[in-house]
């Protein structure tokens, strides 16, 4: 895990790629300047642990780039993944001294992080950040409930389609796109990570990805780029209504 000076990346929050969806989305200029003085960047390699469950949680952070997994290790050594965090999602819980889950970089990740005590103090003085964090927490609760449905009731094809739809829409929103049709995005997750998250085998993930490609639901370009010719059709495959999918 490598700490990086803010000046080595960017110092102006206004230019941040997650600015309009992160915890700082509603900040006024003076509040952004306060965050500027508090933040630091940290690069985390894929597979590296950011926080361990039940250990002290010294930092909170926004994900600038990359994907982070949340998981718990059971008493018999098995690991259960309970969620994925994408760019603009928030790591940590102000007011909680211990991490509830193992937080691991599923891909190479860049964090914009804050020391937890200082951030907690800022929340007391900055209602816009507190309100935005509450909204994000409620969105995360909705996503967790949807994840329960995804694991418990959906077919393998629907699970894969749901995950692709969520990632596609999130990347489009970060880019500021309002296109509801064709979407092109990079899938940073490995087949193994997708399998762990969805409760499938790697072979099943590969078969379903191939089937979606053969049926024209997605197009694959290279090892990472996925093209969705018709987003509404992908939602149909995921088992969502075209206008009602809870894709945050």
């Amino acid at each position: 895990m490598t700490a990086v000076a803010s000046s080595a990346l960017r110092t102006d929050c206004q230019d941040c790629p997650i600015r309009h969806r992160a915890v700082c989305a509603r900040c006024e200029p003076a509040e952004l300047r306060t965050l500027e003085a508090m933040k630091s960047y940290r690069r985390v390699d894929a597979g590296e642990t950011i926080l361990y469950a039940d250990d002290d949680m010294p930092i909170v952070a926004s994900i600038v780039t990359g994907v982070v997994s949340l998981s718990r290790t059971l008493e018999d050594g098995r690991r259960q993944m309970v969620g994925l965090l994408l760019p603009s999602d928030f790591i940590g819980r102000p007011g909680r001294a211990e991490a509830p889950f193992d937080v691991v970089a599923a891909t190479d990740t860049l964090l914009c992080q804050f020391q937890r005590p200082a951030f907690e103090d800022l929340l007391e003085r900055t209602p816009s950040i507190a309100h935005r964090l509450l909204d994000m927490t409620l969105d995360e609760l909705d996503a967790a409930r949807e994840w329960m449905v995804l694991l418990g009731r959906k077919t393998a094809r629907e699970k894969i389609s749901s995950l692709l739809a969520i990632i596609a829409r999130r990347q489009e929103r970060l880019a500021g796109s309002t296109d509801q049709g064709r979407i092109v995005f990079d899938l940073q997750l490995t087949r193994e990570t997708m399998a762990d998250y969805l409760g499938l085998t790697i072979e099943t993930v590969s078969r379903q990805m191939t089937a979606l490609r053969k049926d024209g639901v997605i197009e694959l370009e290279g090892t990472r780029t996925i093209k969705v010719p018709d987003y509404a059709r992908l939602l149909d495959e995921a088992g969502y209504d075209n206008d009602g999918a809870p894709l945050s």
Side-chain angles (χ1 to χ4, degrees):
M1 191 181 299
T2 304
V4 182
S6 296
S7 59
L9 293 168
R10 60 176 67 86
T11 57
D12 187 355
C13 287
Q14 295 286 359
D15 296 332
C16 179
I18 61 170
R19 165 74 174 88
H20 60 288
R21 286 187 60 84
V23 71
C24 55
R26 299 176 186 171
C27 286
E28 298 295 333
E31 295 166 344
L32 282 180
R33 287 193 292 270
T34 300
L35 286 173
E36 294 269 11
M38 294 171 54
K39 74 184 181 184
S40 62
Y41 290 105
R42 175 167 290 177
R43 297 188 189 277
V44 188
D45 294 334
E48 192 171 353
T49 299
I50 299 168
L51 295 168
Y52 288 96
D54 301 324
D55 278 1
D56 181 57
M57 185 168 56
I59 59 99
V60 294
S62 291
I63 301 172
V64 182
T65 61
V67 181
V68 171
S69 70
L70 304 177
S71 62
R72 264 284 188 179
T73 301
L74 306 180
E75 291 184 359
D76 60 5
R78 290 177 298 167
R79 182 179 296 273
Q80 175 63 56
M81 190 181 295
V82 299
L84 287 177
L85 301 181
L86 304 173
S88 79
D89 284 339
F90 195 73
I91 296 172
R93 286 291 176 267
R96 184 167 187 169
E98 296 179 347
F101 304 107
D102 291 329
V103 183
V104 180
T107 69
D108 290 344
T109 298
L110 178 63
L111 302 178
C112 176
Q113 68 176 23
F114 308 89
Q115 295 300 310
R116 181 175 58 81
F119 190 83
E120 290 173 348
D121 181 65
L122 181 65
L123 283 182
E124 296 291 332
R125 299 181 283 107
T126 315
S128 63
I129 297 178
H131 293 163
R132 175 59 182 156
L133 185 60
L134 175 60
D135 286 346
M136 294 175 72
T137 301
L138 294 175
D139 287 344
E140 187 176 330
L141 177 60
D142 288 341
R145 289 168 173 165
E146 181 62 24
W147 182 77
M148 293 173 64
V149 175
L150 186 152
L151 287 187
R153 298 298 180 185
K154 291 193 173 186
T155 65
R157 185 181 177 101
E158 288 174 333
K159 290 178 179 181
I160 297 295
S161 299
S162 295
L163 182 59
L164 295 178
I166 290 169
I167 295 174
R169 180 50 61 202
R170 283 290 297 274
Q171 292 201 18
E172 285 294 289
R173 287 178 177 175
L174 283 173
S177 173
T178 58
D179 186 8
Q180 296 295 315
R182 183 178 178 84
I183 296 177
V184 180
F185 66 97
D186 285 338
L187 180 64
Q188 300 181 40
L189 299 176
T190 65
R191 297 290 191 265
E192 181 179 7
T193 300
M194 293 173 67
D196 287 345
Y197 179 61
L198 299 172
L200 303 172
T201 65
I202 298 176
E203 293 76 16
T204 298
V205 171
S206 295
R207 283 197 302 269
Q208 293 300 327
M209 290 287 287
T210 299
L212 289 171
R213 177 184 60 78
K214 288 182 177 179
D215 292 342
V217 180
I218 62 173
E219 300 170 6
L220 304 179
E221 184 176 294
T223 58
R224 293 177 52 180
T225 301
I226 293 184
K227 299 180 180 179
V228 181
D230 185 348
Y231 186 68
R233 184 181 176 190
L234 181 60
L235 289 183
D236 287 340
E237 294 289 347
Y240 290 118
D241 294 332
N242 287 348
D243 60 352
L247 303 180
S248 60

